Amino acid sequence: MPAARTSRQPRRRTATLLASLLLASSCAWAQAAAPLGERLAEIREINRFTPERALPMLLRIETEARAGSVEDAGEMLAQLCVAYQKVGKQELALATCDELIAFGRAHQNNAALAKGLVRKGYIKYDRNELSASHELIWEAERLANTTDDVELRVRVGVSAAESFAEEGNFPRALEKMQATLAYTRQHGGPVHLVIVLNSLARLYRQMREYDKGFEALAEALVAAEKTDSPGRLATLKSTEYGLAVESGQLERALKAQTAALALERQIGAHALAARSLVNLSDCYLRMRDYAHAASYANQAIAAASAINDENGLATARVNLGQAYLATGRLAEGKRSFEAGLAAYEKNGDKPELQTVLAEYGSALERAGDYAGAVQAYHRERSLSNELFEKRRQKAMLELREKYDADKKQRQIVLLERENQVKSVEIDNRRLQQRVWWLLVVVFALASLVVGLLYRKVRHANAQLYLKNQELKQQSVRDPLTGLYNRRHFQDFMRGHRVDEKRGAGTSGEAMVSALFLMDVDHFKHINDTWGHGAGDAVLIRIAESLREILRETDMIVRWGGEEFLAFLPAIPASGLDEVARRLLNGISETSIEFQGTTLSVNVSIGFAPYPLAPAGKPLPWERAVNLVDMALYMAKGHGRNRAYGVRGFANFGRTSMEEVEQNLEQAWRAGFVDLSIVTGGYPELRASA
């Protein structure tokens, strides 16, 4: 079954809270006897897990702190920003960060300035502004390293490493994290060591090096014992849960997350407890224990609602929908799933929404609601196309910006050379006036300089031509598979004449063009089970198989994600089913070697001759591809590892193309569309060590 939804864990600042410290803090507050710096340190510990308790404490000492030292005032503003952000008051948090940044600059205090920058970076991260977040955090790291504040340097060092990991630069992230760990071993205490080792374990989890992650976690647990902190232990247990889940140790994951929940409830960390409840419902879904999964999902909904955690609430509702659908409670499951989807749509988290829609379709398919599954797949496909187009536009913009920057640099170089030439000419005139007998030598030198410059300009132009050719090649090819990309196919079809390849083959049979759209079955399961490296290996091998199965004259396109499109410019009209059968069986027979495991996969296919001409009027190529896409989803909905082909249309006096496009399957069953069905003869997914 597809993986359930796991609560998105906070990226940075794993919290710590000592139960005894909370009691001591309350007493100290009541007596107001401790120095301000000590009280701020106690509030900082409380703020990490229970910001709703810390916020009123901070507001009560705000006036006193502002009148105190630069260090105390800066720490008070930093903790106020933390509290506002964690209780959901984002605008107040951002305003406080800006105030702290201005405060640090006004007092030329790098520690206060670094605290303000890193806190603002966290807010930008929560708003999905990753580039801005990373730049702020890296600037904060540069400033923090000029101070002797161990707490600040450790936390900002960890955040800087995590920023590199978020950009996919794991070698740089690991280098940063290990440097921070070395600094912590030399200057920090047990609390700081727990922070760095916990983040290192999470980084190893991202890198899928689970053994190293468990090693770092074991050392962190030893250090946590010295802190006597239930909060630290709860955080480490949650990290253990993530490592155990992704390495397939579900019993260990369940035990770790249950322990974390007990510790979080012990110290009143409601936000972390809500996250743990979501994770427990996810774990039970993976174990197919749907009764417990539903129970914990309901508890998570109540907990997230109590603290206005919209993301946690959405995830819990999706998990509850998974549990209900798996136990046959179709109507309740769909309501819960749709409520979760609505929350993701409201938040504008489209990549997460696409993933949830795919899981929704799979869950409905397993529950027997094939019509609902097809609708979910269509929604997912529409969103996928939208995201693909945005990514394409972003890539083109980045290429354009790079080209403009290179062009500007070349113009600067040429302008500098031009100025040099003008300077030489001015010097020549002066020499001409003073020493007439040097005139010939001066002209000779000037000619030599101009010749060299001319040769350099020609060389620069040649290099520019080569770069332009390289960019042109990159713009039409998919970098992973080497196949044509979607943009190239679209450009080709805009200039393609429908009647270019009409005629008869050697056998006298009419020749047609054809479209074949293929989608890898259970591709998400491959990524979830063996990792994205296995998914890339599958896509590369399928691309190679398509080149072997089809002809050199056929255009093969990576349509997006795990979809491939083939355009056959000339094929006998009766040969479409045979091509579909060759594609199904040829890909099923393909073996993919990945890290000692042999994988085999299937595809589902939609196909049709091109052009399609209902009622004698040819459809535009975009609508033809859309109709083939609908046939593909029928193949998915009817069992996968098969091909559905649109052969023709009938009885258009009683229907229209628009009605056919609304529901292809219904039109087929009503006799308006003639479909060809080709089934594959191999199992859907195999793997062997």
Side-chain angles (χ1 to χ4, degrees):
M1 62 172 290
R5 308 305 306 151
T6 305
S7 175
R8 290 179 64 187
Q9 300 186 16
R11 178 184 67 175
R12 304 184 175 95
R13 302 152 314 281
T14 55
T16 301
L17 192 60
L18 306 172
S20 58
L21 182 59
L22 288 176
L23 180 59
S25 175
S26 299
C27 295
W29 189 264
Q31 297 171 2
L36 180 60
E38 293 181 12
R39 280 180 280 155
L40 281 168
E42 293 172 355
I43 294 173
R44 181 175 63 203
E45 293 299 315
I46 297 171
N47 207 9
R48 287 169 182 155
F49 275 147
T50 52
E52 63 276 6
R53 292 188 55 200
L55 182 57
M57 294 179 179
L58 288 165
L59 293 175
R60 282 196 291 269
I61 67 166
E62 181 178 3
T63 301
E64 179 186 357
R66 287 182 183 277
S69 66
V70 172
E71 290 73 17
D72 287 344
E75 180 63 15
M76 183 277 299
L77 287 171
Q79 292 306 313
L80 198 58
C81 181
V82 174
Y84 280 140
Q85 184 182 7
K86 288 187 175 182
V87 300
K89 298 182 178 181
Q90 299 296 322
E91 295 304 322
L92 283 174
L94 187 58
T96 307
C97 284
D98 288 335
E99 181 183 357
L100 178 54
I101 291 169
F103 176 85
R105 286 175 176 156
H107 291 85
Q108 297 183 346
N109 187 290
N110 283 354
L113 182 54
K115 290 176 183 178
L117 291 171
V118 78
R119 290 307 322 174
K120 189 170 183 178
Y122 299 156
I123 294 172
K124 293 291 185 181
Y125 172 82
D126 286 344
R127 294 181 173 183
N128 289 319
E129 299 176 27
L130 295 188
S131 295
S133 170
H134 297 163
E135 292 300 327
L136 287 166
I137 288 169
W138 291 329
E139 175 63 14
E141 180 195 25
R142 186 187 67 78
L143 293 168
N145 287 340
T146 66
T147 75
D148 57 1
D149 189 331
V150 176
E151 171 84 11
L152 177 63
R153 290 183 65 169
V154 168
R155 293 189 177 278
V156 176
V158 166
S159 296
E162 289 170 340
S163 295
F164 281 111
E166 285 155 10
E167 292 193 345
N169 190 347
F170 292 118
R172 187 76 174 108
L174 187 58
E175 177 188 344
K176 280 278 185 186
M177 196 72 78
Q178 290 173 338
T180 304
L181 179 59
Y183 173 83
T184 304
R185 293 189 193 279
Q186 184 176 0
H187 300 284
V191 169
H192 303 122
L193 192 58
V194 171
I195 292 170
V196 181
L197 287 169
N198 184 51
S199 295
L200 180 60
R202 293 203 308 269
L203 177 59
Y204 279 132
R205 172 188 168 189
Q206 290 177 274
M207 297 169 66
R208 304 183 187 279
E209 297 188 24
Y210 304 119
D211 291 341
K212 292 183 180 179
F214 282 120
E215 288 177 10
L217 185 64
E219 185 181 352
L221 286 167
V222 173
E225 292 295 334
K226 299 177 183 178
T227 69
D228 191 26
S229 168
R232 295 285 177 202
L233 287 173
T235 302
L236 295 177
K237 287 296 179 182
S238 291
T239 300
E240 182 181 359
Y241 164 82
L243 283 166
V245 162
E246 293 197 8
S247 59
Q249 304 176 57
L250 294 182
E251 292 293 343
R252 179 174 182 176
L254 182 62
K255 182 178 178 181
Q257 195 65 71
T258 302
L261 178 62
L263 291 166
E264 290 157 358
R265 285 174 167 170
Q266 175 186 335
I267 61 177
H270 303 302
L272 296 179
R275 185 196 71 194
S276 291
L277 288 167
V278 173
N279 287 346
L280 284 169
S281 70
D282 165 64
C283 191
Y284 276 115
L285 280 172
R286 294 171 184 267
M287 299 171 73
R288 303 181 188 276
D289 185 346
Y290 301 117
H292 279 95
S295 173
Y296 278 105
N298 277 314
Q299 292 180 57
I301 289 172
S305 298
I307 59 174
N308 295 320
D309 181 0
E310 294 184 1
N311 184 70
L313 185 60
T315 307
R317 282 175 170 161
V318 168
N319 280 2
L320 183 61
Q322 290 262 35
Y324 281 164
L325 289 176
T327 54
R329 299 166 67 176
L330 189 61
E332 295 171 276
K334 292 175 74 171
R335 279 198 301 272
S336 187
F337 240 118
E338 291 291 349
L341 288 169
Y344 284 118
E345 288 179 330
K346 179 182 177 182
N347 293 338
D349 192 348
K350 291 187 177 180
E352 190 73 9
L353 178 61
Q354 181 188 3
T355 302
V356 176
L357 280 169
E359 293 176 1
Y360 189 25
S362 297
L364 289 171
E365 184 179 350
R366 290 193 303 274
D369 185 357
Y370 298 114
V374 170
Q375 290 179 355
Y377 286 137
H378 274 300
R379 291 168 66 184
E380 187 272 338
R381 183 56 51 205
S382 176
L383 186 57
S384 173
N385 291 339
E386 178 185 343
L387 293 175
F388 174 83
E389 182 62 22
K390 288 183 177 179
R391 287 192 294 267
R392 186 189 70 80
Q393 291 176 357
K394 181 181 178 182
M396 291 300 298
L397 181 60
E398 290 174 351
L399 283 173
R400 182 63 187 177
E401 289 175 350
K402 184 178 184 302
Y403 172 78
D404 289 343
D406 290 344
K407 181 180 179 182
K408 185 176 181 180
Q409 183 61 34
R410 288 193 300 273
Q411 289 174 339
I412 291 173
V413 171
L414 290 174
L415 183 60
E416 289 175 349
R417 290 172 178 170
E418 182 181 350
N419 290 336
Q420 291 174 358
V421 173
K422 290 181 178 178
S423 297
V424 170
E425 291 176 351
I426 292 172
D427 291 340
N428 286 342
R429 292 192 188 99
R430 290 174 180 172
L431 289 172
Q432 200 174 33
Q433 293 172 359
R434 296 178 182 180
V435 189
W436 65 270
W437 52 271
L438 292 177
L439 183 62
V440 175
V441 176
V442 170
F443 277 125
L445 290 174
S447 299
L448 178 61
V449 170
V450 171
L452 291 173
L453 289 174
Y454 177 73
R455 289 181 61 188
K456 289 183 179 181
V457 169
R458 287 188 60 189
H459 178 71
N461 287 336
Q463 291 297 315
L464 177 61
Y465 174 80
L466 292 176
K467 289 294 183 183
N468 286 336
Q469 291 297 109
E470 182 180 339
L471 286 173
K472 181 179 179 181
Q473 177 70 7
Q474 292 174 354
S475 70
V476 301
R477 292 285 182 179
D478 171 57
L480 178 66
T481 62
L483 300 177
Y484 286 113
N485 60 24
R486 190 173 188 148
R487 176 190 175 191
H488 175 73
F489 176 77
Q490 291 170 336
D491 292 340
F492 169 81
M493 292 304 289
R494 292 189 187 102
H496 177 68
R497 288 175 53 85
V498 172
D499 58 349
E500 279 181 343
K501 297 294 181 180
R502 293 303 179 202
T506 56
S507 63
E509 184 177 356
M511 303 293 285
V512 297
S513 299
L515 292 164
F516 288 78
L517 186 60
M518 294 154 276
D519 186 278
V520 181
D521 293 333
H522 299 297
F523 187 74
K524 185 177 185 300
H525 175 70
I526 294 172
N527 281 334
D528 290 347
T529 305
W530 291 284
H532 290 277
D536 289 346
V538 167
L539 296 177
I540 292 169
R541 188 64 187 91
I542 288 177
E544 294 172 354
S545 296
L546 290 175
R547 293 189 186 99
E548 295 168 2
I549 295 168
L550 299 174
R551 301 165 302 184
E552 291 184 357
T553 55
D554 299 332
M555 180 182 293
I556 310 172
V557 180
R558 185 178 179 193
W559 195 242
E562 64 271 24
E563 283 191 339
F564 299 84
L565 182 141
F567 176 76
L568 282 59
I571 182 175
S574 62
L576 271 67
D577 287 5
E578 180 56 30
V579 172
R581 186 172 293 105
R582 289 208 318 267
L583 290 170
L584 289 171
N585 294 337
I587 292 174
S588 293
E589 292 170 351
T590 299
S591 295
I592 301 101
E593 299 296 332
F594 180 76
Q595 296 183 353
T597 299
T598 300
L599 303 175
S600 297
V601 295
N602 299 319
V603 294
S604 296
I605 302 175
F607 64 98
Y610 179 79
L612 288 168
K617 183 179 180 181
L619 290 176
W621 70 266
E622 294 93 338
R623 294 181 71 180
V625 170
N626 185 55
L627 206 60
V628 170
D629 188 48
M630 295 176 70
L632 166 62
Y633 273 98
M634 284 184 64
K636 287 278 188 185
H638 286 269
R640 296 188 174 90
N641 191 22
R642 62 196 61 215
Y644 275 54
V646 178
R647 291 194 294 201
F649 306 86
N651 300 321
F652 256 61
R654 296 191 290 117
T655 186
S656 66
M657 194 61 213
E658 287 73 17
E659 292 180 355
V660 170
E661 289 176 320
Q662 287 293 322
N663 193 323
L664 179 62
E665 182 164 0
Q666 181 177 325
W668 170 48
R669 297 189 183 281
F672 300 131
V673 178
D674 182 16
L675 291 183
S676 172
I677 303 174
V678 180
T679 59
Y682 298 89
E684 289 192 351
L685 174 65
R686 304 180 299 281
S688 60

